[in-house]
Amino acid sequence: MTKHQLTIFLLLCPPFFFATLFAQHNENQCYAHIGLSEQLAANPRLKSQLEANERFIADFSSHAHLRESKTVVIPTVVHVVSASVTDAQVLSQIEALNRDFNKLNTDMSRVPSEFKTLTADCEIKFQLAARTPNNTATNGIVRHTSSRTQWGGSDDIKKPSKGGFAPWNTSKYLNIYVCAIGNGVLGYASFPGTPAEVDGVVIDHTAFGTTGSARRPFNLGRTCAHEVAHWLNLYHIWGDAACGDDHCSDTPTQKEAHYGDPSVATYSTCNGTQTRDMSMNFMDYVNDASMVMFTTGQKVRMQAMLNGVRASLLTSDGCLPATEMGCKIKGLNISELKTTAATLSWTAISGTKTYTIDIRKTGATDWTSISSNNSTITLTDLAVKEFYTVRIKSDCPTAEYSELLTFSTRPLVKTLAQQAGTFQIYPNPVNDEANFFFDGQFEGKIALQIIDARGLVHLQTTKTVGKENPSVSVDTSTLAVGVYIVTVEQNGEIISKKLIKN
């Protein structure tokens, strides 16, 4: 059995297998893989998404040089479901995440000499949200009240039907929940591609932050670093099996997890030769004081997800003050797109009674105006296989039009849920070159176009894609700075996505 097959086998194992594994150490520190096995059993499509993630990471790794070196900011909301957790404790956790993900932790000196060249500044910053999904001001800390004393590891805390609290828009925010989990579980997280309603990270209040109710030996905020890394698609360093695979080529293959504070080096012979274990990695199970590093390979995996499944976080407005939105409409979105109709929605502006929606066929000069009292409207009587451009203005005194949104009434590929992951652009925003990654739904010739908001085609090409060649690169150096629509068509069906040129 190959290492990759072994990993998939473990992900599909029933929860009692993992419970037995943990019981050998009397430690239930991380529940992420148990939760993942339960989600795989309930949602078979998730397995395809995880496999797509791995293909995308492999492709991204070969183009990593295209991404500029700059820190990605992730808007973060902390849901506090524990009266003992103070704002200071939340802030201490955010500070700890930013130290550890950016190689600013002073205990980096504990990295053994043979691993020092592998340590990575992951260039990921976590910032508490400044606005809610409804564009009201927030400090990024949301307090919930519940009579429940323990929440367990089954995502109940995220489910209103179970007495929990729904996450904020998971395409715009990292949702972290702090509560009493129970049963010795310190935390767990969802992997990229899991359903939005259960997406996020859950940490026990005794292992959260560096002050308040945090208790030794898990009081340096590193349980959260471990779980957030899962959320960005890192696996345990031992691959959750004897000599398992964590999909990182620069982490030594090791026989098992480590616990406590190892005082001497340990070694594994998984590959036939003796290699030192990287027990000080954030993805092992040692105490907080003994985990100090991510590797370059782990960084690439996380950055890939921030250009893939979790790319929407890069354009989130969650960290912008609510007042900055003013009277300009934002958050335009097209859904329920049909051949002659589409639903248009946007972020509501407090106090607005009427919105004016202008629509025209892309390339036309005259607008048709429609009024709406709500922040959503169904556009009907559209022409088949036509491009349209819309803009919206509110009735507030200093109103200005939204950015233009272009969409097409050409037939869509299956359903929106089935589209997920089939076509991704990275990096996005782009500079002189754009890379397009296609999932397994695309086999054979595709027609790719880059179109501006006026409907003018700036680039048109035909490519052949498939599982063996899932990506293509396109020269975008001649494009002017602005927002474009990329359309990919195959067999009369089309998917469109936004491309931003810097």
Side-chain angles (χ1 to χ4, degrees), residues 199-218:
D199 190 20
V201 170
V202 183
I203 307 294
D204 190 83
H205 71 99
T206 63
F208 182 78
T210 63
T211 187
S213 62
R215 296 288 179 266
R216 290 185 179 183
F218 305 111

Side-chain angles (χ1 to χ4, degrees), residues 246-268:
D246 69 345
H247 303 291
C248 287
S249 60
D250 60 357
T251 57
T253 304
Q254 66 184 51
K255 183 179 180 181
E256 59 190 359
H258 297 85
Y259 297 84
D261 294 298
S263 58
V264 297
T266 58
Y267 296 84
S268 295

